[in-house]
Amino acid sequence: MALKLLVRTRSGGECELEAKDGLTVMEIIRDAGFDEVFAICGGSCSCGTCHVLVAESWFAKVGPPGMEEGYLLESARHRARTSRLACQIRMTSELHGLQVTIAPEE
Amino acid sequence: MLKNAWYVAGWANEVVQGKPVGRTFLNEPVVLFRQADGSPVALSDLCPHRFAPLHRGKQRGDVIQCGYHGLEFDATGRCVRNPHGKEPPSHAAVRRYPMIERHDLLWIWMGDQTKADMSLIPNQLSFITDHSLAHNRLYLHAKANYLLMVDNLMDVSHALYLHAGSLTQEKMREDYEPEVKLIDGVTTMIIRHRNIQPPPFWASAFPKGTTTLDRQERSWGYAPSIVIHETAYSQPGQPPHTEGGASARGVHLYTPETDSTTHYFYSLSRDYHRDSPEVQERIQREIHRIFSMEDLPMIEAQQRNIGDRDLMSMRPALIPSDRASVLMRRHLASLIAKENAAHG
């Protein structure tokens, strides 16, 4: 089954992306050609630039950030309760239909 | 740059009574002088008359006399004498910057005076004047933005390559796994190695023929730009700071001079060969050589490449060893953003 990821971009547009099982949300958004999720460290949880806000209804399933992720999110200007780094969310069938918003630029 | 913070203006012994010193901090020229009672003073270096540098004047008692036309200013910055007229104009005052002396250092507060809080100076710095240790100190002027200097210390993996002949052994490149945390605004790092031969800088700390030691390196990054960094070698299987080991803790105190130059104050405190003048002198030469011949040329070249661009805007290809420097920069950026927002 093809998984789906719903992304709201910085300009407010909504996109439905095909999400391959096992890829991270960062990889899916980046591979779809979005420049906004910079992910300058290539997804190694080292830069904090792939900041996304998970939709409230999905946050319990996605879960809170890990420790290292938390350090990077601490200083994120637009940090919110449902903030995560996209490179740390891996797609599974459980997350089919996941909705995220790309956080405003730092 | 963060204005509401204490920055190092100099070593305490660099400012002597009767001899004003001129230095620029965060793009602002400052004159430092010491009053008769020993207390250090920092005023704007611009004489309000025609903006000549006050540090080129004379100190007369507790007053600075401008070398150009003789106007005099006291330690509060008030103009107390105008030799050419009656009253000095009321706006002929210079700004006074809060200044305190602690840990043999002079600290200056460049921002809102009402926020100057002595307790913000990290207590961990007390090792600088610890009498049970031996100390080496130096000052360097770097032609690079202060953040590039901070990056240099927050990512000590550079020592594996840049200081390959002095501070590290090749074997340390294997399994290089720093643990980085951000706790209460301090970015910390710890890394351990086992069975390392002491590198050239450390060889003299151990008996000849020592080929295997354990090694622990730790650092603490305090906003805006202070990094404490410690290296501790110990006997195999032993924890750091035990019998048969040797350690040294250094502090790198960076104060921005301008957007592209930095004052670099450094102190290294060691627990081995404390009473040896030869070791003292050798360390002094070596740290001066390593910093000025290995670190500074590389960082200054980086600065020329980057210019006045913001590093992150250039999308650097960051890697996991950048974590500590990224966290330090991000934390500082959030403090600066808060300060600017409050300022309105």
Side-chain angles (χ1 to χ4, degrees), chain B residues 164-226:
Chain B
S166 51
L167 298 176
T168 56
Q169 293 287 9
E170 265 202 44
K171 188 170 177 237
M172 287 164 53
R173 296 177 189 180
E174 300 157 25
D175 302 317
Y176 191 83
E177 308 251 8
E179 278 171 50
V180 177
K181 293 188 190 330
L182 174 58
I183 315 267
D184 295 328
V186 182
T187 305
T188 66
M189 187 281 297
I190 187 164
I191 184 161
R192 296 179 181 94
H193 291 95
R194 312 209 76 158
N195 301 319
I196 298 289
Q197 182 168 0
F201 183 84
W202 287 92
S204 63
F206 296 97
K208 221 174 186 154
T210 302
T211 55
T212 173
L213 296 167
D214 286 353
R215 182 183 190 277
Q216 178 186 276
E217 205 174 337
R218 293 188 69 177
S219 55
W220 297 262
Y222 288 86
S225 46
I226 292 174

Side-chain angles (χ1 to χ4, degrees), chain B residues 141-158:
Chain B
H141 182 260
K143 294 190 184 59
N145 176 267
Y146 75 111
L147 291 175
L148 293 179
M149 304 300 294
V150 173
D151 288 342
N152 171 258
L153 248 303
M154 293 308 290
D155 182 2
V156 285
S157 71
H158 79 266

Side-chain angles (χ1 to χ4, degrees), chain B residues 129-141:
Chain B
T129 51
D130 184 339
H131 292 301
S132 71
L133 304 170
H135 311 277
N136 287 81
R137 295 175 178 175
L138 57 75
Y139 167 81
L140 289 171
H141 182 260

Side-chain angles (χ1 to χ4, degrees), chain B residues 20 58 99 128 152 178 185 204 323 343:
Chain B
K58 283 188 165 65
M99 169 154 277
I128 296 174
N152 171 258
S204 63
R323 282 192 186 120
H343 208 249

Side-chain angles (χ1 to χ4, degrees), chain A residues 38 41 44-46 72 75, chain B residues 181-182 315 318 320 323 330:
Chain A
F38 292 146
C41 76
S44 63
C45 200
S46 306
L72 286 164
S75 45
Chain B
K181 293 188 190 330
L182 174 58
R315 301 217 200 176
L318 298 177
R323 282 192 186 120
R330 285 172 67 92

Side-chain angles (χ1 to χ4, degrees), chain A residues 82-94:
Chain A
T82 64
S83 283
R84 288 294 309 267
L85 292 182
C87 69
Q88 301 301 299
I89 306 172
R90 206 162 281 281
M91 278 307 280
T92 63
S93 54
E94 267 227 322

Side-chain angles (χ1 to χ4, degrees), chain B residues 165-339:
Chain B
S166 51
L167 298 176
T168 56
Q169 293 287 9
E170 265 202 44
K171 188 170 177 237
M172 287 164 53
R173 296 177 189 180
E174 300 157 25
D175 302 317
Y176 191 83
E177 308 251 8
E179 278 171 50
V180 177
K181 293 188 190 330
L182 174 58
I183 315 267
D184 295 328
V186 182
T187 305
T188 66
M189 187 281 297
I190 187 164
I191 184 161
R192 296 179 181 94
H193 291 95
R194 312 209 76 158
N195 301 319
I196 298 289
Q197 182 168 0
F201 183 84
W202 287 92
S204 63
F206 296 97
K208 221 174 186 154
T210 302
T211 55
T212 173
L213 296 167
D214 286 353
R215 182 183 190 277
Q216 178 186 276
E217 205 174 337
R218 293 188 69 177
S219 55
W220 297 262
Y222 288 86
S225 46
I226 292 174
V227 185
I228 296 175
H229 174 260
E230 175 187 86
T231 310
Y233 284 91
S234 54
Q235 293 300 313
Q238 295 302 312
H241 310 296
T242 53
E243 187 73 36
S247 73
R249 183 177 279 204
V251 62
H252 307 255
L253 306 140
Y254 303 112
T255 301
E257 181 187 42
T258 65
D259 294 322
S260 60
T261 59
T262 300
H263 297 293
Y264 181 4
F265 303 93
Y266 175 67
S267 181
L268 182 66
S269 307
R270 71 182 187 277
D271 64 4
Y272 62 94
H273 297 323
R274 285 164 292 184
D275 302 315
S276 162
E278 293 85 24
V279 169
Q280 181 79 8
E281 208 211 298
R282 190 182 322 143
I283 288 177
Q284 191 72 26
R285 268 199 327 262
E286 261 304 272
I287 58 181
H288 193 270
R289 186 189 68 76
I290 292 168
F291 292 175
S292 56
M293 307 295 282
E294 292 178 358
D295 290 291
L296 253 55
M298 188 64 82
I299 303 170
E300 290 176 350
Q302 242 189 325
Q303 170 69 33
R304 289 192 294 275
N305 284 344
I306 294 170
D308 56 11
R309 287 176 285 183
D310 168 65
L311 180 72
M312 291 304 165
S313 72
M314 294 174 69
R315 301 217 200 176
L318 298 177
I319 51 185
S321 49
D322 290 302
R323 282 192 186 120
S325 62
V326 166
L327 285 177
M328 182 98 172
R329 273 183 180 254
R330 285 172 67 92
H331 177 62
L332 178 57
S334 73
L335 293 176
I336 293 172
K338 281 196 192 93
E339 184 176 275

